[in-house]
Amino acid sequence: MDETALIRSVATWIAEARQVVALTGAGVSTASGIPDFRGPQGLWTTQPEKERLFSLDAYLEDPEVRQQVWRLRLENPAFTAGPNDAHLALAELERRGHLHTLVTQNIDGLHQAGGTDPDRVVEIHGTIHEVECLSCDRRVPVGPVLDEVRRGDPDPRCPSCGGLQKTATVSFGQSLDPSLLQRAHDATMGCDLMLAVGTSLVVHPVALLPRTALEAGARLVIVNAEETPYDDRAGAVLRGDAGEVLNAILAHLDSLQQA
Ligand code: NAD
């Protein structure tokens, strides 16, 4: 099937689906200037030594790691980036009643900035816009903590209990919030179409969600620039830029509605 016919089929599946769940990853935000991890320009592809900064053990054990993480947070593009066509297209799908839940591995908040209803977004790997205390779980907006770093405190401690603080993002070796995992699982079990966009589908346990969807009888559609381990089992694989592909799907949905 050629690309246009495939996109038309996907638009028809979306129009006919009872419950669509989108699963997004770092690839939806690269066009906003936020690098992914594993793509050709990804953080770990170009600077593999940075991987250690995402380990919870390293963060807990090594003050140098914490200080480096806070310094890098100061210039994280997520704080200045805006939503791109992929975020806007997913928000438009939701506005038209085609999106039940959006599970995102991204921590940048750009789906909500792009207009997706925050109540429908499950930020399964947390958010960079908040900071939590690893001892007393106190959660605060990130801005004032970054101001402390700017003022010269290289590793600001929790003002309530003196514990270590970290952005409210899930590091390697750190458990996911069970209630968010449950929400993602429940939405997946109930969906008849999963749209995986801009994700390598290799980070667990999130990478199990497409398998859950398939085993529950749902169709899987993959929109990604590179291969994923699920390509063989997908109903359609659309290789290309997430924003361009999603806009093409929206255009076909328009023509279906006009027909
Ligand atoms: P990943 O880096 O493993 O994979 C991203 C995938 O997106 C790659 O396969 C790449 O080919 C593809 N891609 C890149 N640009 C694309 C585009 N414009 N259109 C279509 N596809 C594109 O990312 P992942 O699967 O999300 O998993 C990595 C982890 O990285 C996640 O846990 C996530 O929390 C974290 N992360 C988040 C951000 C963010 O919040 N924006 C950025 C980097 C990493």
Side-chain angles (χ1 to χ4, degrees):
M1 211 186 285
D2 69 22
E3 183 84 357
T4 310
L6 204 51
I7 287 178
R8 193 179 306 121
S9 297
V10 171
T12 309
W13 297 340
I14 290 174
E16 291 172 357
R18 191 180 27 78
Q19 180 164 314
V20 178
V21 169
L23 171 61
T24 70
V28 297
S29 293
T30 52
S32 296
I34 304 175
D36 59 14
F37 282 164
R38 297 177 183 79
Q41 304 305 319
L43 191 61
W44 296 348
T45 314
T46 57
Q47 301 173 69
E49 73 284 358
K50 288 260 162 52
E51 194 163 343
R52 181 170 146 75
L53 301 178
F54 294 84
S55 143
L56 181 64
D57 283 348
Y59 194 90
L60 294 175
E61 285 160 11
D62 188 346
E64 254 310 308
V65 166
R66 292 196 294 278
Q67 292 177 18
Q68 202 182 340
V69 168
W70 284 118
R71 279 198 302 274
L72 285 171
R73 286 308 192 210
L74 288 181
E75 54 205 51
N76 193 294
F79 295 122
T80 45
N84 66 58
D85 278 359
H87 303 104
L88 300 178
L90 286 163
E92 179 62 15
L93 266 187
E94 184 216 322
R95 203 186 59 75
R96 297 186 192 185
H98 293 302
L99 193 63
H100 180 273
T101 300
L102 192 159
V103 180
T104 186
Q105 298 165 85
N106 295 343
I107 57 169
D108 54 34
L110 289 182
H111 285 299
Q112 297 91 321
T116 296
D117 178 353
D119 289 342
R120 291 192 186 269
V121 179
V122 180
E123 291 179 305
I124 198 98
H125 288 164
T127 173
I128 198 171
H129 296 286
E130 288 180 348
V131 164
E132 69 185 355
C133 171
L134 297 174
S135 298
C136 71
D137 297 334
R138 175 180 180 271
R139 247 173 118 116
V140 292
V142 69
V145 182
L146 291 182
D147 286 342
E148 289 176 57
V149 180
R150 275 188 204 97
R151 285 196 298 266
D153 183 345
D155 181 18
R157 296 301 176 104
C158 172
S160 299
C161 76
L164 294 179
Q165 298 190 105
K166 187 168 92 60
T167 52
T169 50
V170 176
S171 299
F172 286 99
Q174 190 170 10
S175 304
L176 275 66
D177 179 333
S179 65
L180 296 182
L181 201 52
Q182 189 66 47
R183 260 185 80 195
H185 179 78
D186 290 349
T188 300
M189 286 298 288
C191 83
D192 51 353
L193 190 129
M194 174 169 274
L195 191 56
V197 190
T199 167
S200 59
L201 296 176
V202 297
V203 180
H204 282 257
V206 174
L208 294 174
L209 292 173
R211 190 170 94 188
T212 303
L214 287 165
E215 286 173 359
R219 208 172 233 147
L220 175 64
V221 172
I222 294 176
V223 179
N224 203 51
E226 294 177 293
E227 281 181 19
T228 83
Y230 283 95
D231 288 1
D232 292 348
R233 298 169 71 186
V237 178
L238 297 164
R239 195 80 65 224
D241 172 68
E244 284 175 20
V245 173
L246 291 174
N247 274 336
I249 293 172
L250 279 177
H252 279 280
L253 270 171
D254 279 342
S255 54
L256 285 176
Q257 274 150 7
Q258 282 158 15

